[in-house]
Amino acid sequence: AGGQQPICNEDESIWIVFNGEIYNYLELMVELEAKGHRFRTRCDTEVIVHLYEETGVDCVKRLSGMFAFALWDSFSRRLVLARDRLGIKPLFYALEPAGRLVFGSEIKALLAAPVSREPDYQALYDYLSLMYVPTPATAFAAIRKLPPGSTLTCTPEGMVVRQYWDIPLPKQGEEGPH
């Protein structure tokens, strides 16, 4: 309730747009309120904003759920895109010719911007061979899919994609879960 987006923190320095559901948001909200954060809503989206204030980009490591979000930090001049661990919610991005980053949950949203429509021939070959396009490729050379369990951080200094989670596999010689 009250989760109309975009949502910001108290001083309006951090803004978020969010697609998904955070399963552990109530637990996180109680923890954040104990640290002095004030909530305007009781929705999972606002929890991400306050968790980011506490832990920065690593806030994604505490989120349990399916999500894709974009968070703007005006003090740091940082845009953070994030995708859930298993990639249930999609998130696409591209750089426009003018150097602006565009993003969306569907490729057609990016095609509304001045993004090249040149095909990615390897991705098309992969699709015809494998019946899917491996991440981060898409059918368009200029458009990429943010990998599952990853963040993209864009600052005036540049853009970095970083994996924050992977499927935990047993080490060689160890047995997996029974």
Side-chain angles (χ1 to χ4, degrees), residues 6-176:
I7 289 181
C8 63
N9 62 346
E10 297 92 340
D11 67 4
E12 298 186 354
S13 63
I14 299 171
W15 292 83
I16 189 170
V17 288
F18 170 77
N19 177 20
E21 185 175 350
I22 304 301
Y23 307 137
N24 63 333
Y25 84 96
L26 290 174
E27 166 192 324
L28 292 169
M29 185 179 285
V30 168
E31 178 184 319
L32 291 163
E33 285 175 328
K35 291 182 176 188
H37 291 273
R38 292 173 310 168
F39 287 81
R40 295 180 186 147
T41 71
R42 303 308 288 173
C43 72
D44 54 359
T45 307
E46 190 178 4
V47 166
I48 300 168
V49 171
H50 295 290
L51 189 58
Y52 174 84
E53 287 178 303
E54 285 292 320
T55 62
V57 177
D58 283 342
C59 68
V60 292
K61 294 178 180 179
R62 301 278 319 274
L63 301 175
S64 174
M66 55 178 181
F67 58 86
F69 67 79
L71 183 143
W72 171 246
D73 180 340
S74 62
F75 286 142
S76 300
R77 296 187 38 80
R78 176 190 302 163
L79 175 68
V80 177
L81 305 181
R83 192 164 177 217
D84 63 80
R85 288 175 171 87
L86 299 180
I88 297 168
K89 295 294 184 179
L91 188 53
F92 300 94
Y93 66 94
L95 284 174
E96 291 181 336
R100 291 187 313 178
L101 179 71
V102 293
F103 58 89
S105 58
E106 297 181 16
I107 289 177
K108 67 182 176 182
L110 278 67
L111 293 175
V115 171
S116 171
R117 294 171 182 247
E118 180 183 332
D120 182 331
Y121 292 106
Q122 180 62 50
L124 294 172
Y125 175 83
D126 289 343
Y127 179 75
L128 294 172
S129 302
L130 306 170
M131 299 306 293
Y132 77 100
V133 176
T135 299
T138 70
F140 299 94
I143 299 175
R144 291 288 167 248
K145 184 180 351 177
L146 187 63
S150 295
T151 59
L152 181 154
T153 304
C154 188
T155 65
E157 289 76 41
M159 188 172 77
V160 176
V161 174
R162 182 178 61 91
Q163 184 177 0
Y164 69 87
W165 187 85
D166 199 2
I167 296 172
L169 297 174
K171 293 184 175 109
Q172 192 171 8
E174 289 182 359
E175 290 186 33

